[in-house]
Amino acid sequence: PALIGYLVPLRFAYSVGVLVTVAVAGTGAYVFGRVLKLGVLASAFIGTVFVLGGPVMSLVGWSSTSVSSWTGWLFAASVFVVRGNRRALSIAAFALVLAMSIYAGHPETTLLLAVALALFVAVVLVQRAPRLGDSGPILRPVVNLIIGGVAGAALSAPLLLPGMQLLGLSGRTSTGNYGSVTVPDHAVLQLIFQGFDGLPVAGSHWFGSVSYQWTANYVGVITLVLALVALGTRWKRPEVIGLAAVVAVMAVLALVPRVASALNGLPLIGNVILTRALVPLAFGLSVLAGIGLDALARDPASARVRRWAGWGFGGAAIALLVVWLFGRGHLPADEARIRSSSFLWPTIGVLVGLMVVAWLTWTVRHHAGSIPARRAHVAVGLLLLCETAFLVAAGAPVWTSSSQAPVPTPAVVSLQKAVGTSLVGLGTGSCVASTFLGYPEAGILPETNILYQVDELAIYDPLVPSAYFSSWKRLTGTAGGSAYYYLFCPSVTTVAAARQFGVGYVLEFHGQPGPVGSVFVRYVGDEELYRIPGAASATLVSAPSGKPLPPDDAPGTPVTVRQPDPATWHLATDASSPQVLRLRLTDVPGWHATIDGRPLSLETYSGVMLQARVPPGRHQLVIRYWPASFTVGLVLAACSAVGLLAAVVVEWVRRRKGNPTRSGAPIAASP
């Protein structure tokens, strides 16, 4: 989804990413239902619940959801591989979908998705063991999935390899799993309720124990009851047991705080925010519910199916009554009203479910033990309609949209004109406190500044290099942000620090003096803008031959930089003595320099940036970003694509000649 966003102007990129995410997630979940031989209404139910449910809708604009949007497609492709039909095509499809999920760009969500998929496939294949009364190949599907996994990783290598390099330089692998972000003790209720702890919208307010998005895991009472119907009536289907295992494990990871604490810091999984397991949990529940709905649509005359549905909705009614009487707690009047109103849709869902079961039971008794297919479809369609209405009503207040692009405020326009392409630093204050506690802050919220093309010394990114914090700590004695929250936003309070990091301007709150030695420029809204003399993105510092490099804080002469594209810098130098060119570019693998067309060696500057020795005279320098790992990734991706395409063509030719490849036993597809 993010890659598609690059095809449109920046102001539309977010909206396009959201739309593509929803389309990919919904169609994938629907296709998986069809792959499992479910009917159209049941498959539509799966797609609807997965897309509009809380775990996806609350994070639909985040990169984590861009990855998880491929869940349905990935599960569908894995089923094709396990069934063994058209081996090469199935492996190629699995590899392509896996590559797309990796390109979506959120490694920890990819890891959780891989865990859920591996668990599903393992449980399905184990049931093929003769001791369990089944038969079919086990080793061959595993080998095929491994081949598809390797091929998919190779297809994504142009992003994966450089990304792993950046990940290794960041602090993301040592910050733990955010144990403090675990959901509250009544998290199970959040599967049914939306708004039990309020909503972050007008007319309500959020009074939950943690951030809203980590507790918006609602899928609805109808989904939970239909999932129970699937477990009670279709438990012999291998994929039902596999999905039940996924739901159980993901629920433990996401909803049991002690598990998150126990896993904290362990390799791989111990550094994942485990509440992200809510998405595969919601997917498993939605598919199980689709299977339950399909059972009700195909076999409504079955007393067993109707009994499980009746028990489910009846039990849900009793549970709601118990929570209403004893589980609402003692809250202030406004919060008590908000919590009470959250019972509306669960109650409607239970009533509609009981009405559908009662109507089906009455129809069976008055039609000699059978139900016309049309009436059965109307019944399950009513459940789908009610569930959709609940999910739309639950998610719509949280999301708003506009046909207009964000309009810069007068203060933002003033800042744009004043600073141009210069780097802007933030003065006194803490953007960590402002971001997470709502305190005022100077400048524009980190990352939002990109939309307005204002370059700030502030970044909110899981891959922010840990050297940012250590370098700023050595320079000023302060961390400059929070590595734990991936937020680097240092308070630039001295001219020396500003020059060293190439900060051309500093924003301060009104009445707060700028750094000593800075020059007041203008008022920007309720803030004041100060210029830092001598600061630039590139500077030349005198460095006699054979002598050590000058100190990091040595003053330099600004050098003009031209940027024809984000990955290229052009500079021209003219000096009568040897110089050191200091570049305010992050020192990560991939930067290369040439001087007059010849290679130029780059070194680390101030622990986090780049510098190079330049001989006297006039010179043309070009700095380009192109990691060697990216080249290797392109080669691997090309080899993988050619290999997969060749295998598919060979398989197609063999089938055309009447010599199809042998197919293994399929996953049971009976209703």
Side-chain angles (χ1 to χ4, degrees):
L3 292 177
I4 300 298
Y6 282 104
L7 301 178
V8 300
L10 180 61
R11 65 182 184 273
F12 300 127
Y14 178 82
S15 298
V16 168
V18 167
L19 293 174
V20 176
T21 297
V22 169
V24 171
T27 55
Y30 175 86
V31 166
F32 184 54
R34 298 296 285 165
V35 168
L36 296 182
K37 309 299 183 183
L38 302 181
V40 171
L41 286 176
S43 300
F45 188 94
I46 296 172
T48 300
V49 174
F50 181 56
V51 169
L52 298 182
V56 170
M57 189 53 58
S58 65
L59 297 171
V60 73
W62 295 37
S63 56
S64 59
T65 308
S66 298
V67 173
S68 57
S69 67
W70 291 97
T71 303
W73 291 104
L74 199 56
F75 271 69
S78 69
V79 168
F80 280 124
V81 174
V82 170
R83 288 178 178 173
N85 298 321
R86 299 194 177 185
R87 180 190 182 198
L89 185 60
S90 299
I91 292 175
F94 180 79
L96 180 61
V97 173
L98 177 62
M100 290 297 100
S101 70
I102 295 175
Y103 275 118
H106 201 267
E108 60 182 336
T109 302
T110 300
L111 178 61
L112 283 172
L113 183 54
V115 170
L117 181 66
L119 181 62
F120 170 75
V121 172
V123 172
V124 167
L125 290 178
V126 164
Q127 294 174 81
R128 288 184 171 183
R131 290 185 178 182
L132 297 179
D134 204 344
S135 62
I138 297 177
L139 181 60
R140 184 171 183 177
V142 172
V143 172
N144 291 343
L145 286 170
I146 292 175
I147 294 173
V150 172
L155 286 175
S156 64
L159 173 69
L160 188 60
L161 296 183
M164 294 301 293
Q165 285 183 315
L166 295 178
L167 183 62
L169 297 174
S170 74
R172 182 62 190 91
T173 56
S174 59
T175 55
N177 61 19
Y178 268 22
S180 61
V181 183
T182 51
V183 292
D185 53 5
H186 55 266
V188 174
L189 293 179
Q190 304 284 7
L191 292 171
I192 299 175
F193 292 90
Q194 162 68 321
F196 193 77
D197 291 330
L199 291 174
V201 297
S204 179
H205 70 273
W206 176 248
F207 52 90
S209 58
V210 293
S211 298
Y212 163 78
Q213 64 268 20
W214 304 117
T215 60
N217 52 335
Y218 59 90
V219 293
V221 65
I222 292 176
T223 295
L224 294 181
V225 171
L226 291 177
L228 181 66
V229 172
L231 294 174
T233 63
R234 298 294 187 261
W235 60 269
K236 290 185 178 181
R237 294 187 62 170
E239 62 269 21
V240 170
I241 301 177
L243 290 167
V246 170
V247 168
V249 172
M250 295 298 113
V252 169
L253 292 178
L255 303 179
V256 182
R258 290 185 178 180
V259 173
S261 299
L263 296 177
N264 189 30
L266 293 178
L268 292 179
I269 195 69
N271 292 314
V272 172
I273 300 175
L274 294 179
T275 44
R276 301 193 193 281
L278 288 172
V279 175
L281 168 63
F283 178 76
L285 286 173
S286 65
V287 179
L288 285 174
I291 295 174
L293 188 78
D294 193 70
L296 205 58
R298 292 176 184 266
D299 200 10
S302 169
R304 185 184 181 193
V305 172
R306 287 182 286 105
R307 189 182 307 118
W308 274 96
W311 288 346
F313 285 112
I318 295 173
L320 284 177
L321 181 61
V322 171
V323 175
W324 175 267
L325 295 176
F326 306 106
R328 285 181 293 163
H330 301 284
L331 299 172
D334 287 344
E335 296 178 2
R337 175 185 55 80
I338 293 170
R339 178 162 289 181
S340 296
S341 65
S342 70
F343 281 76
L344 176 62
W345 275 107
T347 302
I348 292 175
V350 166
L351 292 177
V352 170
L354 290 173
M355 288 172 54
V356 167
V357 174
W359 183 57
L360 290 176
T361 301
W362 179 86
T363 304
V364 168
R365 293 178 178 176
H366 288 77
H367 287 80
S370 64
I371 298 179
R374 181 176 298 179
R375 295 195 178 189
H377 291 160
V378 170
V380 299
L382 184 60
L383 292 175
L384 172 58
L385 182 63
C386 182
E387 177 71 5
T388 303
F390 159 66
L391 295 174
V392 171
V398 184
W399 284 93
T400 59
S401 62
S402 172
S403 59
Q404 301 296 321
V407 179
T409 65
V412 170
V413 173
S414 176
L415 182 62
Q416 290 172 331
K417 292 179 178 179
V419 303
T421 59
S422 299
L423 182 63
V424 179
L426 311 181
T428 54
S430 171
C431 73
V432 176
S434 62
T435 300
F436 294 101
L437 300 179
Y439 295 160
E441 67 173 316
I444 305 172
L445 189 71
E447 303 307 324
T448 309
N449 59 293
I450 297 174
L451 180 64
Y452 302 108
Q453 299 182 346
V454 174
D455 192 9
E456 291 182 343
L457 185 65
I459 183 173
Y460 175 53
D461 193 324
L463 294 183
V464 57
S466 56
Y468 275 36
F469 304 97
S470 59
S471 177
W472 193 263
K473 180 78 170 179
R474 287 195 304 269
L475 178 63
T476 67
T478 61
S482 172
Y484 189 75
Y485 291 109
Y486 332 128
L487 185 59
F488 180 72
C489 48
S491 296
V492 183
T493 57
T494 67
V495 167
R499 287 172 178 162
Q500 194 160 325
F501 274 74
V503 175
Y505 293 86
V506 172
L507 277 169
E508 276 288 4
F509 290 114
H510 181 63
Q512 182 72 32
V516 176
S518 63
V519 179
F520 174 76
V521 177
R522 66 170 63 174
Y523 290 103
V524 178
D526 58 353
E527 299 168 13
E528 299 175 2
L529 183 66
Y530 293 85
R531 181 174 57 85
I532 307 297
S537 56
T539 55
L540 277 177
V541 181
S542 178
S545 300
K547 297 293 183 65
L549 290 169
D552 289 347
D553 59 353
T557 303
V559 178
T560 302
V561 176
R562 292 188 300 107
Q563 290 184 260
D565 58 71
T568 307
W569 278 22
H570 286 181
L571 307 95
T573 63
D574 187 1
S576 59
S577 62
Q579 304 283 310
V580 170
L581 177 64
R582 287 180 164 166
L583 308 167
R584 275 64 182 185
L585 285 173
T586 307
D587 182 15
V588 294
W591 286 108
H592 306 278
T594 61
I595 180 169
D596 301 326
R598 301 185 304 275
L600 178 66
S601 177
L602 293 172
E603 302 177 51
T604 301
Y605 163 55
S606 192
V608 70
M609 294 171 282
L610 293 169
Q611 62 184 351
R613 290 183 179 270
V614 178
R618 294 184 177 182
H619 302 285
Q620 297 293 324
L621 293 90
V622 178
I623 318 297
R624 285 194 176 93
Y625 180 73
W626 186 282
S629 56
F630 182 63
T631 302
V632 174
L634 290 174
V635 173
L636 290 175
C639 292
S640 179
V642 170
L644 291 171
L645 181 60
V648 171
V649 170
V650 169
E651 183 179 68
W652 179 78
V653 171
R654 293 183 63 184
R655 293 180 67 88
R656 292 276 294 179
K657 292 182 177 180
N659 185 26
T661 56
R662 292 191 306 167
S663 60
I667 293 180
S670 57

